[in-house]
Amino acid sequence: MRPWQIWLLFALGLAVVTPALAWLTVKALALDRAELQARRQAEQEEDLSRALWRMDSLLTPLLAEEAARPDFVYRPAYATGEPAGKKGEEPRELSPLLAAPPQFVRVHFEVHPDGRIASPQTPTGELGAWATANGARPETIAAAEKSLAELRPALCHADLLALLPEHSPLSVTDSDLPRLESPSQQAALTPNNSPETANPVIDNNYSQLKPPPEVQVAQQVGAPQLDDSTEPVSTPLNNPQGGPGSPQPPPQQQVTQQQVTQQPTAQQGLSSLQGGPGQQLLPFNFAANTENPRQQRSQTRGGNDLQNREAALQAYAQKEFNEQRSNVKAAPPPLRVVEGASRALWLGDKLLLARRVEVGGQTVVQGCWLDWDALQQRLQAEVADLLPAVELSPAPLDLLTGSERLLATIPVQLIVPAPAAEPAVWSPMRVSLVVAWSCLLLTALAAAVTLRSVLTLSERRGAFVSAVTHELRTPLTTFRMYAEMLAAGMVPDAQQRQRYLETLRTEADRLSHLVENVLQYARLERGRPGGRREETTLGGLLHRCQSRLADRAEGAELKLLVEIDEPTRDTELCTDPAAVEQILFNLVDNACKYAATASDKQIHLRLAVLPRQVRISLRDHGPGISAAGRRRLFRPFSKSVHEAASSAPGVGLGLALSRRLAHDLGGKLELQSPAEGGAEFVLTLPR
């Protein structure tokens, strides 16, 4: 095949492999980005789940305390039910909402059917003076009046009733009033004993929402599990036991943990509720009654996360409901009172917690205005380590979409930016691709270099065959012609016959030298040098080959000058004399070919001794060697037939063979260009 055909096949092979690897690279990078996106999305969802638990943990004590408040605390003062004093006045107690307003609440309100709006924190007239004298702070009353004036335009009795649930956690009927003689007896009618215990204290109505389809698919595939040691622990926003001045219940009147967890609807999956002065609140540290809490947690992470947080909220609210009615001493209500479930809702940009309360056949709305700005800052600070760029967006009840990023306590959704999906510069996939491309490039480069070397070798072998054929044809033609003339007696003159015989001898030496070089190079190529090293001296080595070198120089009308001193002649070394003789003969033969026309007909052979080497240099006074010739001077078979015909006979093997022989002897052969012109070859051999 021609060289261009071989290179075309090589290019076609690269054209097949490279696009295939490029396509695999594109697909692998796309899969890498998708995998990274899925992993970061899963990590973000895990952080979102933890953040939701933390935020609901913070909000639960506040909302549960507000939702569980008895209806009579929404008045500046209430009767305690104790016997009248000396002056005949019925004892009364300052409302805890006025005595110690809770944090994150701007004002409490009560909306009546006739449109009248009141607040327990804005007493007026004689009641205001009494409240100030009994611990109410004037600045608290002033702040409440300002907040109530700002809230008043947004409050409408009918609109609020339309947004609030109708069921209630506890109903006190007229027939029950005679038996309710003390707060402890009132507390006995708890959700544990009432047929209406299925009604929650706080009803945000989020459990009916379903996640969007993409969330359901993600939940079916599976989400990362929280480790057993990573349950959120948050400090409550306020004291879950109530404000200052609320007496602590006796131990026998407190609702135990077992009673709370026995609630049939709100405590499923809840294991513990902790609270109290100076304690950490863990309202959402839940686990099912199974032997493997981790498995239960992974199951609830799927689609019931919102329901679990709502269940924990209801359990804490029920507990707070019981505690408040056990701790607050108040006279029995003169009318039937039905307290409805509370609900957090938005009126414009105002966040309210409100409920309906039926008092004697009339329905009023009680609630509070939450300080959303302060709550938002506090919630964002709580989850800053998980979601530094989180935003809290109000979510009105009529616009809820069932997103799993919804808080269970208040209608607020978490908005976080999508995680970045750009892989690292040296991700495992990219490293693998770089290795694959590097292997392809190295393989292609190695194949190209090998292919070029094979083609070059093939060309050199073709040139060698042509050159050897030419070199053999010339002496064979001379042999045949002179032999026929001598055999036919065509040369009667004795001197002429002698010249013919000398020519035949010269051609025989030339042919023998060519064959010897080719055979020696073939042996070196096969790794078998074919010579033996022996102990000798430089004088003995020179004596062995000096006459042959001189004869070759004399045949080209040149003179060989040997420069060596007596100490150098006695220098011993271990080498192959035959290989050294062949190297020197090739150098002299090369000088005879290219320096025969020089004006100075001398060839200088110098021998010198170095500490560990001997140095043999051979210099002629010819035209020297060009830069292009230097690059391929020691390359075997570098001379073509045309070059041999136009310059000097030969196949371009002598110098290449000489360098190979020098390397095999442990030395080296180099070309130097002296300043006076010509060429100088330096052979160094180890001593």
Side-chain angles (χ1 to χ4, degrees), residues 68 72 239 254:
F72 51 81
N239 190 334
Q254 293 185 358

Side-chain angles (χ1 to χ4, degrees), residues 267-413:
Q267 287 81 5
Q268 297 177 1
L270 190 65
S271 65
S272 65
L273 288 172
Q274 302 177 2
Q279 297 183 3
Q280 294 290 329
L281 179 63
L282 303 176
F284 301 130
N285 188 11
F286 66 95
N289 295 325
T290 62
E291 296 180 358
N292 192 349
R294 180 189 295 272
Q295 181 180 2
Q296 175 65 17
R297 184 178 295 109
S298 65
Q299 295 173 358
T300 58
R301 286 282 183 265
N304 298 327
D305 190 70
L306 180 61
Q307 289 85 342
N308 289 330
R309 286 184 279 122
E310 284 188 333
L313 172 63
Q314 295 302 330
Y316 193 88
Q318 296 282 4
K319 176 175 177 287
E320 185 68 24
F321 183 92
N322 296 332
E323 289 182 352
Q324 287 202 24
R325 278 150 183 77
S326 299
N327 296 338
V328 179
K329 296 180 180 180
L335 300 175
R336 179 179 181 270
V337 177
V338 180
E339 297 173 358
S342 296
R343 171 175 290 178
L345 50 89
W346 290 93
L347 288 182
D349 59 346
K350 297 176 176 60
L351 177 60
L352 306 182
L353 180 65
R355 66 181 179 183
R356 62 170 67 211
V357 178
E358 295 183 6
V359 182
Q362 288 189 349
T363 302
V364 299
V365 177
Q366 294 179 347
C368 61
W369 178 17
L370 301 177
D371 190 351
W372 170 238
D373 293 337
L375 279 176
Q376 184 178 14
Q377 294 179 3
R378 180 65 179 87
L379 294 175
Q380 289 175 337
E382 179 67 18
V383 298
D385 58 327
L386 297 176
L387 304 172
V390 66
E391 295 182 5
L392 303 179
S393 174
L397 293 177
D398 55 344
L399 297 179
L400 293 178
T401 60
S403 171
E404 62 177 8
R405 302 180 180 184
L406 181 68
L407 287 176
T409 48
I410 57 177
V412 169
Q413 286 181 322

Side-chain angles (χ1 to χ4, degrees), residues 53-69 102-105 202 234-242 273-276 279-284 312-313 316-317 320 324 353 409:
W53 280 100
R54 286 189 187 181
M55 288 192 240
D56 281 331
S57 299
L58 287 174
L59 292 172
T60 290
L62 172 64
L63 268 65
E65 181 181 17
E66 295 299 328
R69 294 191 186 277
Q103 190 180 8
F104 301 104
V105 176
I202 301 178
S234 302
T235 304
L237 290 174
N238 57 0
N239 190 334
Q241 296 296 336
L273 288 172
Q274 302 177 2
Q279 297 183 3
Q280 294 290 329
L281 179 63
L282 303 176
F284 301 130
L313 172 63
Y316 193 88
E320 185 68 24
Q324 287 202 24
L353 180 65
T409 48

Side-chain angles (χ1 to χ4, degrees), residues 135-219:
R137 302 176 61 183
E139 54 271 20
T140 300
I141 298 175
E145 290 177 348
K146 181 179 178 181
S147 298
L148 186 62
E150 183 179 351
L151 178 63
R152 190 182 302 272
L155 297 179
C156 177
H157 185 268
D159 294 342
L160 289 175
L161 287 182
L163 298 174
L164 298 177
E166 296 183 359
H167 53 265
S168 62
L170 177 62
S171 295
V172 183
T173 63
D174 296 333
S175 59
D176 296 323
L177 295 179
R179 296 196 303 270
L180 301 179
E181 299 176 355
S182 66
S184 61
Q185 290 179 340
Q186 296 180 31
L189 188 58
T190 63
N192 287 327
N193 303 323
S194 173
E196 301 181 10
T197 54
N199 297 326
V201 178
I202 301 178
D203 183 9
N204 285 329
N205 200 22
Y206 301 153
S207 302
Q208 301 176 1
L209 301 175
K210 294 182 179 180
E214 61 272 12
V215 176
Q216 296 180 12
V217 172
Q219 293 169 356

Side-chain angles (χ1 to χ4, degrees), residues 19-33 429 433 437:
L21 185 58
W23 182 82
L24 291 176
T25 300
V26 173
K27 293 299 181 181
L29 290 177
L31 290 176
D32 190 28
R33 284 192 296 269
M429 180 63 70
L433 292 175
W437 277 103

Side-chain angles (χ1 to χ4, degrees), residues 110-118 152:
E110 189 175 47
V111 183
H112 294 265
D114 57 2
R116 181 169 53 90
I117 300 176
R152 190 182 302 272

